[in-house]
Amino acid sequence: MCDQTFVAITFGPCDSCSQNKPLMNIYLQNEPVNYCSLCVELMACQGLAKGETVSTLRAESENLKAKLEEERAKLHDVELHQVAEKVETLGQFVIKTRRTLKGHGNKVLCMDWCRDKRRMVSSSQVIMRSAAVCVLQEHAVTMPCTWVMACAYAPSGCVIACGGLDNKCSVYPLSLDKNENLAAKKKSVAMHTNYLSACSFTNSDMQLLTSSGDGTCALWDVESGQLLQSFHGHSADVLSLDLAPSETGNTFVSGGCDKKANVWDMRSGQNIQSFETHESDINSVKYYPSGDAFATGSDDATCRLYDLRADREVAIYSKESIIFGASSVDFSLSGRLLFAGYNDYNINVWDVLKGTRVAILFGHENRVSTVRVSPDGTAFCSGSWDNTLDFNPV
Amino acid sequence: SFINADFNIFRYHVAVMCLENIMERVIVSMQDPDMGMKMRNQRLLITVIPHAMTGRDIVDWLIQKYTITEEEALHIGNFLVKYGYIYPLKEPRNLCLKQDETPYRFQTPYYWTSTRWPASELDYAIYLAKKNIRKQGELIEYEKECYNALHKRINHTWDFVVMQAREQLRASKQRRKADRIVLECQEQAYWLINRPPPGVMDILEQGPDRRNVANTRVQLVSGQMLAIFVKYCEQYQDHDPIMQGCLPSNPWITDDIMYWNMNSETVTMPTKLRVERWSFSFMELLNDPLGRKELLTYLEKEFSAENLCFWQACEEVRHGEASKIAAKVDEVYKQFLAPGASRWVNIDSKTMEKTLEGIKHPHRFVLDDAQMHIYFLMKKDSYPRYLKSELYKNLLAKAIVPQETKKSVFPFMRRQRHSSPSPALVTQTAEDNGKAKPSAAKANAGTASQI
């Protein structure tokens, strides 16, 4: 197809084990043969573990994609953009980064706004040292683990929570003394059996909701560290969660590596609703401001909107030219705009109703890991693996 | 470490599949015989390399195919090079896309990231051995280090490594010069990506491992009811600073914090937009502390303030410390539910019975039913009447419409930036002063956020 000068079989039956696998060209007794990578290793030294089944996985996923397309074609669903046809089109937005925060020495993984609309907490990873740094506006807290993947501000603004590869979520009270060693006041609240991917306080400083690579979410009492409720239903790592802004304040949504977004009842632990239309990991979930829907960002390079009452996906935000996964999403205050950070270092801004892209921001030099709109909607902040946080109003 | 060796390869393959599959689709369509790129011969010194294209061609094709800007096309094209699907013929160590006559070539599928990932140590050892054998001293410093490290680590395979290296070199000598050059370029490009030199970003870094599982269930349900989103967006458009701007000005743009001061929790006169928003939903009114205060004032006039107080007390039970639940529930019972209680709430008998029974064994959610009952009572009855009341209408009429701040005459004079008062300070001061609420004066002391 592309290379005339080097014809090699890249996939097919291994000359040694006969399984269909990606192949390597090697020479045995002066003859070129095609072995799968594992048989090559076997050849070179004593035995290894059993081989992969990438080919079967691939075939399965191709089948599913075909089925999905078939099903979609049959339905005559109304899509959100059709209902929004009469809505005024937005002009192109010009977004300028107003401030860049360079206090982190390493990849920014996560951030959260304080309810005072001005402060934020952000977390990062440290490669050189064996600790991770969580940088506040005035304080830096050294954590005894790398990859602090989750952080959250408590509603009072007096406490923060964070955690990551230490499998825990710990709570730190904020004090006024800049020299005080905050790490000494740390309190471990949540304990999971795998990494902590996200955390959020509920309506008070007293309860903490967490999601983990162990496939579960959990609700904790901060004071006692007691597990109040656990949420089982994902079949792989849970990567993100968001609390519903609903009247009864009893539900939240989570997204995971099983491509599912699940809605949970906090009180009973029940999985109320489940949505599975993404083709890869869901990295981020966020409620639409009214609480009637939520958006997701996924490794399949799309963001989607799911309507809770219709119980289905109602919009896909994608473009053929967007190849990389979306790592983080958030809505503007009115819910008209969806800000999405991607692994191709860009932020794309979508018109939620029309499904079109209204702006693209080339701000960062590495993956965008987190995008959050401030509580009063005046600006949004993006954190990146390029070690910076950018603040962008319009 | 979290890496479970048995699942390592499996996981990596599944994790990598999505992005690389999407990239493959782009590459395949670039090579479509009809709609794909026009390729040509490229002269490299005295050799002619076929099936090459220029950086400019690549960018132009992407612009045309996806209807995107030049900037975006260059951005995408760069990734195709950085991920090894396209490699440069000149300056092979510089993996970036130049939008000029610089020649590039498609990488063979044999070396695609999706096909050969993760790169095996054995493979790398063979590659380095080949380089070493071909020309002594051809290995760069970091390559020498890797080579020596590999020699130690997989020493038991070394005979195989050297044998393969010799065989591959021998086979390549029998090829045409053009083929040999291309093969070397391809292989080099592959290794530049899979074993980046120190200081170069590892493009394939994925972050912590994920336990991916291929799930087969798919759910599709048809339906409508989408007009509510249009309505919500329209209703809130004027309140969305990113959509419509905000008055007097956006603090992030002008460094002027008037907007925040005017909308702070305990301001004496709220803005018109803020008061309007209370009419959007009962939740909006309740979520705004000022709104809640106004509602309380109204309910006091109606002699039904106990409803709001009860609701608030229930919230504290629901979201408070586990250790204080029993005590709080008891307080609620005494104040609001007990027969003859001073602030008795009017709940239907069925709910009351159930609640009183539940209180005997208090837990976090024991007051939920009662709370919900009162909530909906307020929402359906008190709330609509409040919106029609003189109290609300007067406030709306008096509410402030801020003037737009004119841009500073001296734009180069930067405002001094200070920290806003820490919420921790505010709470502590309140505690020190024995007051329930923080001092409004302190919060409005004309300070700006330090970023």
Side-chain angles (χ1 to χ4, degrees):
Chain A
M1 161 180 51
C2 59
D3 195 330
Q4 304 292 323
T5 62
F6 180 29
V7 178
I9 305 170
T10 63
F11 196 90
C14 167
D15 284 340
S16 164
C17 65
S18 310
Q19 294 185 42
N20 276 334
K21 288 183 183 170
L23 298 173
M24 289 169 64
N25 298 151
I26 59 166
Y27 290 89
L28 288 178
Q29 283 124 30
N30 297 344
E31 287 298 316
V33 293
N34 294 316
Y35 272 27
C36 68
S37 59
L38 274 147
C39 290
V40 171
E41 301 262 0
L42 266 166
M43 265 293 309
C45 58
Q46 289 309 315
L48 271 175
K50 274 187 168 267
E52 327 126 25
T53 53
V54 172
S55 58
T56 46
L57 266 174
R58 264 217 181 124
E60 210 177 295
S61 101
E62 289 307 316
N63 267 342
L64 277 170
K65 278 182 205 161
K67 252 190 217 158
L68 187 61
E69 290 312 312
E70 214 180 283
E71 289 299 310
R72 280 218 179 105
K74 284 187 203 156
L75 296 167
H76 296 289
D77 284 329
V78 177
E79 297 276 322
L80 179 56
H81 66 89
Q82 291 168 278
V83 172
E85 248 160 29
K86 299 233 175 78
V87 176
E88 196 182 307
T89 313
L90 298 172
Q92 284 286 320
F93 279 72
V94 174
I95 301 176
K96 287 201 195 120
T97 299
R98 291 293 160 172
R99 280 174 193 74
T100 301
L101 188 63
K102 290 189 175 143
H104 276 286
N106 287 280
K107 300 179 165 70
V108 177
L109 301 178
C110 166
M111 60 94 43
D112 189 25
W113 287 94
C114 178
R115 282 191 189 180
D116 77 350
K117 307 151 195 172
R118 291 173 250 196
R119 283 183 157 69
M120 72 284 316
V121 62
S122 56
S123 66
S124 75
Q125 167 223 43
V126 173
I127 301 169
M128 291 300 142
R129 284 140 53 195
S130 59
V133 174
C134 181
V135 176
L136 312 168
Q137 182 180 358
E138 296 115 351
H139 300 113
V141 180
T142 305
M143 299 259 297
C145 80
T146 57
W147 290 94
V148 182
M149 298 153 78
C151 60
Y153 234 117
S156 70
C158 300
V159 169
I160 57 145
C162 55
L165 282 191
D166 59 350
N167 296 4
K168 293 190 234 174
C169 190
S170 306
V171 154
Y172 298 79
L174 297 178
S175 79
L176 309 162
D177 183 359
K178 290 183 194 186
N179 297 323
E180 187 172 2
N181 181 11
L182 285 180
K185 288 198 170 169
K186 154 188 155 170
K187 180 179 172 167
S188 287
V189 171
M191 307 270 220
H192 280 278
T193 55
N194 208 328
Y195 65 88
L196 186 86
S197 54
C199 64
S200 172
F201 285 89
T202 61
N203 273 340
S204 79
D205 289 12
M206 298 303 151
Q207 287 179 295
L208 197 56
L209 190 60
T210 57
S211 65
S212 165
D214 66 13
T216 70
C217 299
L219 184 65
W220 310 83
D221 176 64
V222 172
E223 197 191 32
S224 63
Q226 195 194 0
L227 173 68
L228 298 173
Q229 186 62 263
S230 69
F231 306 91
H232 297 263
H234 280 287
S235 49
D237 309 20
V238 186
L239 296 178
S240 174
L241 60 83
D242 190 33
L243 282 151
S246 80
E247 290 180 303
T248 46
N250 268 336
T251 60
F252 72 96
V253 65
S254 65
C257 293
D258 55 1
K259 310 174 207 167
K260 284 198 269 191
N262 289 334
V263 180
W264 308 88
D265 177 270
M266 282 211 285
R267 190 178 148 168
S268 63
Q270 231 192 340
N271 180 359
I272 319 173
Q273 274 172 294
S274 189
F275 301 87
E276 196 178 342
T277 60
H278 270 294
E279 295 174 20
S280 186
D281 301 8
I282 296 177
N283 297 312
S284 175
V285 290
K286 205 76 175 58
Y287 271 95
Y288 183 81
S290 71
D292 294 315
F294 64 89
T296 54
S298 162
D299 274 348
D300 68 6
T302 70
C303 299
R304 299 179 197 224
L305 189 71
Y306 295 91
D307 183 322
L308 290 165
R309 290 194 285 183
D311 194 32
R312 65 156 200 151
E313 173 194 295
V314 295
I316 303 183
Y317 307 100
S318 69
K319 237 180 153 323
E320 267 192 314
S321 60
I322 297 175
I323 304 171
F324 285 74
S327 60
S328 181
V329 296
D330 202 359
F331 286 97
S332 73
L333 190 141
S334 64
R336 182 67 192 268
L337 300 174
L338 182 70
F339 297 95
Y342 289 75
N343 291 337
D344 68 357
Y345 322 165
N346 293 344
I347 296 167
N348 291 304
V349 185
W350 301 91
D351 180 333
V352 170
L353 300 180
K354 296 227 179 235
T356 53
R357 181 175 66 180
V358 295
I360 176 170
L361 188 59
F362 295 93
H364 285 287
E365 291 161 22
N366 203 329
R367 289 197 193 191
V368 179
S369 52
T370 176
V371 171
R372 297 294 289 268
V373 175
S374 69
D376 63 358
T378 48
F380 70 93
C381 174
S382 58
S384 161
W385 282 20
D386 69 2
N387 307 353
T388 69
L389 283 154
D390 280 353
F391 299 89
N392 314 277
V394 174
Chain B
S1 165
F2 292 85
I3 299 175
N4 181 339
D6 291 343
F7 290 113
N8 201 10
I9 295 171
F10 173 82
R11 257 191 294 190
Y12 276 147
H13 269 293
V14 177
V16 156
M17 250 157 65
C18 208
L19 165 64
E20 271 70 4
N21 276 343
I22 299 176
M23 272 188 157
E24 272 175 39
R25 260 184 262 146
V26 176
I27 290 293
V28 166
S29 61
M30 280 177 100
Q31 294 169 84
D32 182 82
D34 300 316
M35 304 299 291
M37 298 205 47
K38 298 284 171 283
M39 290 184 269
R40 48 185 113 160
N41 291 344
Q42 177 67 41
R43 191 170 284 279
L44 259 186
L45 293 175
I46 53 168
T47 324
V48 173
I49 312 287
H51 306 286
M53 59 227 168
T54 68
R56 191 190 305 280
D57 288 341
I58 294 171
V59 174
D60 286 346
W61 187 89
L62 288 168
I63 291 174
Q64 215 246 333
K65 163 85 176 171
Y66 295 119
T67 324
I68 50 180
T69 62
E70 192 174 277
E71 190 177 10
E72 198 177 352
L74 194 55
H75 193 84
I76 297 172
N78 237 316
F79 277 113
L80 293 175
V81 175
K82 287 212 155 46
Y83 273 78
Y85 288 92
I86 295 176
Y87 62 90
L89 284 171
K90 293 186 181 152
E91 274 187 78
R93 302 199 77 86
N94 187 7
L95 290 175
C96 72
L97 182 67
K98 292 197 192 129
Q99 198 186 345
D100 53 21
E101 301 305 308
T102 311
Y104 294 85
R105 227 170 167 276
F106 288 109
Q107 178 64 289
T108 173
Y110 186 76
Y111 283 128
W112 281 357
T113 313
S114 47
T115 323
R116 298 283 295 282
W117 200 76
S120 79
E121 292 207 304
L122 201 57
D123 239 359
Y124 193 42
I126 296 169
Y127 168 68
L128 291 175
K130 267 199 299 189
K131 259 192 152 189
N132 206 23
I133 294 170
R134 192 164 51 217
K135 186 163 136 200
Q136 278 290 341
E138 197 179 24
L139 288 179
I140 306 172
E141 197 53 50
Y142 83 95
E143 283 176 338
K144 274 191 206 142
E145 282 170 23
C146 289
Y147 187 66
N148 292 335
L150 280 167
H151 184 79
K152 262 191 216 150
R153 197 158 56 239
I154 53 172
N155 190 267
H156 50 292
T157 68
W158 215 250
D159 290 338
F160 180 77
V161 168
V162 172
M163 186 264 281
Q164 282 305 301
R166 289 208 177 106
E167 282 299 319
Q168 289 183 18
L169 280 173
R170 186 189 59 82
S172 80
K173 279 199 183 105
Q174 292 165 1
R175 294 186 198 270
R176 286 172 25 232
K177 183 157 186 212
D179 290 353
R180 203 167 49 240
I181 292 177
V182 163
L183 280 165
E184 278 169 22
C185 280
Q186 287 171 348
E187 200 179 16
Q188 181 173 226
Y190 174 77
W191 287 112
L192 276 170
I193 289 159
N194 283 275
R195 292 287 185 272
V200 172
M201 186 170 88
D202 183 4
I203 197 89
L204 299 176
E205 186 178 3
Q206 290 288 323
D209 297 322
R210 295 178 183 177
R211 217 178 7 115
N212 290 293
V213 173
N215 205 307
T216 59
R217 235 172 12 98
V218 161
Q219 231 166 300
L220 284 174
V221 180
S222 68
Q224 298 201 35
M225 299 178 345
L226 302 176
I228 52 162
F229 297 113
V230 176
K231 181 163 169 259
Y232 188 95
C233 286
E234 277 172 356
Q235 189 177 42
Y236 280 83
Q237 184 159 316
D238 288 343
H239 299 254
D240 186 341
I242 290 179
M243 293 283 297
Q244 297 285 116
C246 57
L247 297 174
S249 66
N250 188 321
W252 297 96
I253 298 178
T254 61
D255 274 346
D256 173 20
I257 60 159
M258 269 309 261
Y259 179 74
W260 285 331
N261 289 341
M262 293 179 100
N263 287 296
S264 74
E265 251 183 50
T266 50
V267 77
T268 23
M269 183 54 64
T271 63
K272 212 183 197 77
L273 272 179
R274 183 176 177 179
V275 179
E276 257 172 29
R277 203 163 149 180
W278 298 345
S279 69
F280 290 176
S281 73
F282 187 42
M283 253 214 346
E284 286 287 358
L285 181 64
L286 278 187
N287 279 343
D288 187 343
L290 194 64
R292 210 187 279 196
K293 200 169 124 200
E294 289 291 305
L295 179 65
L296 187 66
T297 310
Y298 175 73
L299 292 177
E300 271 161 3
K301 292 200 177 136
E302 300 245 307
F303 303 105
S304 56
E306 67 277 358
N307 286 341
L308 185 56
C309 299
F310 174 70
W311 180 84
Q312 223 155 276
C314 292
E315 282 288 281
E316 278 166 43
V317 171
R318 229 155 46 107
H319 297 292
E321 297 108 306
S323 57
K324 299 195 177 153
I325 289 176
K328 282 185 182 169
V329 170
D330 193 49
E331 262 307 302
V332 167
Y333 170 73
K334 287 195 183 115
Q335 268 197 51
F336 300 100
L337 299 171
S342 57
R343 313 180 84 179
W344 192 79
V345 285
N346 194 357
I347 307 174
D348 68 283
S349 53
K350 190 166 158 210
T351 310
M352 180 65 95
E353 210 180 293
K354 188 173 167 203
T355 307
L356 291 177
E357 189 58 41
I359 285 179
K360 293 179 187 165
H361 306 280
H363 60 90
R364 187 175 296 275
F365 306 111
V366 74
L367 298 169
D368 270 15
D369 287 348
Q371 184 186 19
M372 209 145 24
H373 180 94
I374 294 296
Y375 178 86
F376 282 111
L377 190 69
M378 287 193 289
K379 180 179 172 183
K380 299 231 163 83
D381 183 37
S382 313
Y383 174 61
R385 283 191 290 111
Y386 166 68
L387 291 178
K388 295 195 192 116
S389 70
E390 287 305 312
L391 185 68
Y392 178 74
K393 286 191 185 153
N394 283 341
L395 187 62
L396 190 60
K398 283 194 226 150
I400 303 172
V401 178
Q403 292 281 358
E404 185 177 359
T405 308
K406 297 275 185 254
K407 283 222 164 89
S408 174
V409 179
F410 301 102
F412 48 83
M413 267 175 70
R414 310 200 68 203
R415 289 172 200 259
Q416 269 259 286
R417 293 202 212 137
H418 313 279
S419 278
S420 55
S422 163
L425 165 67
V426 165
T427 311
Q428 183 149 348
T429 314
E431 276 169 21
D432 291 345
N433 296 344
K435 287 194 187 120
K437 284 206 179 124
S439 159
K442 271 211 164 80
N444 295 344
T447 55
S449 283
Q450 177 181 2
I451 306 289

